[in-house]
Amino acid sequence: LASLWSPRSAYVATLPFVLGSLVFLGFVREPRLHRQPSSGDSGRRGLRSQARDTISTIVSHRDVRRLAMLMALSGLLVQMIIEFGPLWLVELRSSAAAYGPFSAAVFAALGAGGFMAGRADLHLRAHRLVGAAVIVASSIVVASVHHAATITVAMTALAAVLVVAQIQMTSKLHAASDSSVRAGVSSAVSTLTFVVFLPLSITFGLITETFGVYRGALLIGAVVAIAVFLLDDVFRTSPDPHAPPAGAPPAVELGVHMVAS
């Protein structure tokens, strides 16, 4: 649409879909399990005590700290792909027709990652190696290849694998946190992601403005290297929260896997 009419017309054409999503949102039934107080919790607590317990959970538990750091970095990478990915198309002087498929592919990667998250298990070494290989290869392509379609595929693959990791890390984070602070810990991780994103985005902008977007991609590569190292460390040393207990009889093991599914 942007190539046939104008970017403004293409933007206006998205409004019916936005309105449609609001209609569907009105029919969503929100889960309420997270609103039920845990045992020993008499009910609502004050903001100060909730914040204190949330911070204490993150600071005092090594596993939670590692998960929070890794989730912030992976969330940061996804955010950078979404926000800065079109700059590669600008650098390559792509036509307006290239931006629609690029955006569709990158955002579809979020759904594809959700689909794959139930079929991959990063606790398995082979799955971690495949995921790490895709992430590293994609970051190399983004930093070196001057072809819009290839860049689109690389960023889509990178985002999809990161979403798989995000979903499985969220499961581990919930398992490592008490139900009374679970929502607060997840929210704190999201906040940390944007706190880190701000200075890195400014740095990326300065590098790109001075040296070009491909030099800016080296910053993404540095974050990818740290994330891959932490990813292997977290899933190699931390148990699967949905795994059955050691020595569990077959019936119990089957039931645990059914609940996890």
Side-chain angles (χ1 to χ4, degrees):
L1 291 178
S3 62
L4 294 175
W5 298 337
S6 69
R8 181 182 296 274
S9 299
Y11 179 78
V12 172
T14 66
L15 296 181
F17 297 95
V18 174
L19 295 177
S21 68
L22 295 178
V23 173
F24 280 101
L25 184 61
F27 291 96
V28 171
R29 297 178 60 186
E30 180 188 5
R32 300 188 178 275
L33 180 62
H34 65 288
R35 296 187 177 184
Q36 298 176 5
S38 58
S39 57
D41 191 352
S42 59
R44 297 181 180 274
R45 296 182 297 165
L47 177 61
R48 182 176 299 178
S49 62
Q50 181 75 21
R52 183 182 62 246
D53 292 344
T54 298
I55 295 174
S56 175
T57 298
I58 297 175
V59 173
S60 61
H61 293 79
R62 180 174 180 269
D63 287 344
V64 176
R65 289 199 307 270
R66 291 188 304 163
L67 281 169
M69 185 182 305
L70 179 56
M71 291 180 69
L73 288 178
S74 58
L76 165 70
L77 288 170
V78 174
Q79 194 69 22
M80 292 185 77
I81 292 171
I82 293 174
E83 299 291 343
F84 302 138
L87 292 178
W88 271 258
L89 302 184
V90 174
E91 178 78 12
L92 296 172
R93 294 178 171 81
S94 301
S95 66
Y99 288 82
F102 174 87
S103 297
V106 169
F107 281 101
L110 307 182
F115 176 80
M116 293 188 297
R119 290 156 178 79
D121 185 0
L122 295 178
H123 292 93
L124 300 177
R125 185 170 182 269
H127 291 193
R128 288 200 308 275
L129 288 176
V130 172
V134 172
I135 293 174
V136 173
S138 298
S139 63
I140 293 174
V141 169
V142 167
S144 59
V145 175
H146 293 253
H147 187 265
T150 307
I151 291 292
T152 300
V153 172
M155 289 193 175
T156 302
L158 178 57
V161 174
L162 289 172
V163 169
V164 172
Q166 281 280 89
I167 292 173
Q168 296 195 12
M169 285 186 292
T170 300
S171 176
K172 294 173 71 66
L173 186 70
H174 287 179
S177 307
D178 185 80
S179 60
S180 61
V181 296
R182 194 167 289 155
V185 170
S186 298
S187 185
V189 171
S190 297
T191 302
L192 178 62
T193 300
F194 284 97
V195 168
V196 178
F197 176 73
L198 179 59
L200 278 182
S201 63
I202 294 174
T203 304
F204 179 85
L206 293 174
I207 295 174
T208 299
E209 185 177 14
T210 305
F211 302 105
V213 71
Y214 283 92
R215 290 293 181 87
L218 297 178
L219 182 62
I220 296 178
V223 178
V224 163
I226 299 173
V228 168
F229 172 79
L230 287 176
L231 185 69
D232 180 69
D233 181 58
V234 165
F235 282 92
R236 175 170 47 84
T237 59
S238 300
D240 183 353
H242 300 302
V252 174
E253 184 175 343
L254 177 60
V256 170
H257 283 295
M258 288 178 66
V259 172
S261 300

